[in-house]
Amino acid sequence: MASGNYSFPKTIEGKIFINNKFVKPHSTVTSTVYNGKDNSIVTDKHVICDRDDVNLAVAAARKALNGSWSEFTGLQRARCLYKLADLLEQNAEEAAYYESICSGRIMDQLRTEVPWIADVIRYYAGWADKLEGEYLPDDDGFVKIVRHEPVGVCGGITPWNGPLMVFVMKGAPALAVGNTFVLKPPEKSPLSSLFAASLLSQAGFPEGVFNVVTGDGNTGALISGHMEIDMVSFTGSVEIGRTIAAAANASNMKRVTLELGGKSPAIIFPDADLPSAIQWASKGVTMNAGQVCVAPSRVYVHESIADELIAGVKTEFERLGSTLGLDPQQYGTTFGPVIDKSQFDRIYTYIEEGKKDATLLTGGYKHDKPGNYIPPTLFTDPDPTASIYRDEIFGPVLCIRRFTEEEEAIKLANDTSYGLAAYIFTEDTKRIFRVTKQLQAGIVGVNALNMLFPNAPFGGYKSSGVGKELGKYALRDYSATKTIYIKSVDNTA
């Protein structure tokens, strides 16, 4: 069954979202958005917003922060968020379609993901009227009150591999606390974010609470260096994350949260449920055509089961490879293209280098039909210095190495500058606690991969970033702590 051919993008082409309306921007510079399945043009009017556009959005957010939005109670904020969640869920297929035509993501996954995204909004709606402060006793002659207040105007810069999800992971906790927001969606996949923004007025949010400026890295730089933005949250590469942090510090020392990807390991022990491990390992690095920050792109398997696991993964990869070229906007498609020709070329550069540094078991060939389709590609025994083994490729490329001892596997897993996610497969309870404690990652999955939960924090160690998304921990990043002290009345006189 094909998904609907919605007309919404044409109604907002060349516009940005400020004060609950799509408006004509100051900038006349545009870029082109392509559909990864055939490189056809989705729109050639994607606006690259300039300083005037960003200033207008920030001014709207500042006005709402100091005005109408500041008068909303926690319960009123919650009602807006609950309504937004309902509207998004009611329009799930449409939202999924706009994301799919830009990113190449498959509709079958998106139609289940959008309701999950709505539940993330509901999770934060539930927090909006439950944000507590503290009272500290006056045994030293002073009453102390600790308040948690909004940080102020927040900026968000989101990635192209899951823009609607990250829109909500940043926006929902920010709004629950009482902040206002300026979002820059990814230039390669902006439409699902613009569609979500179109629902804000219906949900009851006042003008200026949430604004969207489109653009590229130059627009993102204007946000991260803006003197009237109090916080910026970014998801993307380590290189750009460092640039954003530097710009934030050089401007007004704004708060920064960064989610910067990973090169996640999965360790498969000899007592693992092997058929399950094969399925998870195959799915984990091929979901979204491998364009997933938590993808298990390094697998370490015990030598006693290595041949069987490698054969199973190879079979799964070849099964998916046989479906190359199917339409991601068609329900039933299980494997789509990477987002664009630039990403396609980048991944193949890694694959060609990998052929020199490892054993290629399957994949690695060029698909001879239109679109940016890359077959799932499996390497074994990579050189420890190989780029396919060290770098985040962001494509359907997997490296498998054998290990003998548990300590060796842990050392190999931790031998990376990243620390976002790690995974183990074992039925040994003692090993689960022993190994998960030693893995240097912010998320550790046991007998499952690539999972996110609205109520559990997401974020990594080391170069994978700072700050947390999801769970109550994200609320801390969007809150400013204020201590008020009051001298006790002296009744002895």
Side-chain angles (χ1 to χ4, degrees), residues 133-369:
E134 296 175 85
Y135 164 86
L136 302 175
D138 62 348
D139 51 3
D140 56 359
F142 292 88
V143 171
K144 283 82 63 182
I145 299 169
V146 181
R147 289 174 51 88
H148 299 287
E149 300 180 342
V151 173
V153 176
C154 299
I157 303 171
T158 54
W160 45 257
N161 63 313
L164 186 57
M165 177 188 295
V166 183
F167 170 114
V168 167
M169 287 166 66
K170 297 183 188 304
L175 299 183
V177 173
N179 299 282
T180 56
F181 214 91
V182 176
L183 176 78
K184 189 201 83 67
E187 62 269 30
K188 295 182 179 184
S189 184
L191 293 187
S192 59
S193 299
L194 289 167
F195 175 70
S198 74
L199 305 175
L200 291 167
S201 178
Q202 296 177 62
F205 289 96
E207 291 184 1
V209 170
F210 201 103
N211 308 275
V212 181
V213 291
T214 58
D216 58 11
N218 293 319
T219 313
L222 292 171
I223 290 173
S224 56
H226 203 288
M227 294 296 292
E228 288 296 317
I229 291 180
D230 304 296
M231 174 191 173
V232 63
S233 181
F234 168 74
T235 298
S237 71
V238 173
E239 179 184 6
I240 301 302
R242 288 183 176 131
T243 301
I244 286 172
N249 285 332
S251 54
N252 58 349
M253 294 287 288
K254 61 174 59 66
R255 186 178 299 187
V256 176
T257 62
L258 304 169
E259 195 278 282
L260 305 178
K263 188 72 174 177
S264 301
I267 306 173
I268 302 175
F269 290 99
D271 65 330
D273 179 336
L274 197 55
S276 177
I278 289 168
Q279 289 297 317
W280 279 109
S282 304
K283 178 181 177 182
V285 80
T286 57
M287 180 185 293
N288 285 5
Q291 299 166 123
V292 179
C293 58
V294 293
S297 53
R298 296 182 292 139
V299 167
Y300 302 101
V301 57
H302 191 269
E303 59 185 6
S304 65
I305 58 169
D307 289 346
E308 188 176 354
L309 178 116
I310 290 169
V313 172
K314 181 175 181 287
T315 298
E316 281 299 301
F317 274 25
E318 290 173 350
R319 181 186 65 79
L320 283 174
S322 70
T323 71
L324 241 57
L326 295 181
D327 188 347
Q329 282 91 63
Q330 191 106 8
Y331 286 121
T333 297
T334 56
F335 186 73
V338 298
I339 190 164
D340 63 6
K341 186 64 164 57
S342 173
Q343 183 68 2
F344 177 89
D345 290 341
R346 178 181 181 274
I347 293 168
Y348 267 110
T349 297
Y350 274 107
I351 289 173
E352 290 305 310
E353 285 297 312
K355 291 175 182 178
K356 305 172 188 175
D357 299 320
T359 301
L360 175 65
L361 285 192
T362 190
Y365 56 86
K366 289 285 184 77
H367 183 58
D368 60 0
K369 295 181 181 179

Side-chain angles (χ1 to χ4, degrees), residues 12-29:
I12 54 92
E13 273 193 325
K15 295 181 180 178
I16 57 178
F17 188 81
I18 296 178
N19 281 326
N20 282 358
K21 297 183 287 292
F22 287 102
V23 298
K24 184 177 179 180
H26 174 269
S27 174
T28 58
V29 179

Side-chain angles (χ1 to χ4, degrees), residues 106-121:
I106 61 172
M107 288 292 291
D108 272 23
Q109 180 186 344
L110 286 166
R111 70 174 172 180
T112 59
E113 184 175 293
V114 175
W116 182 90
I117 292 170
D119 283 342
V120 172
I121 301 174

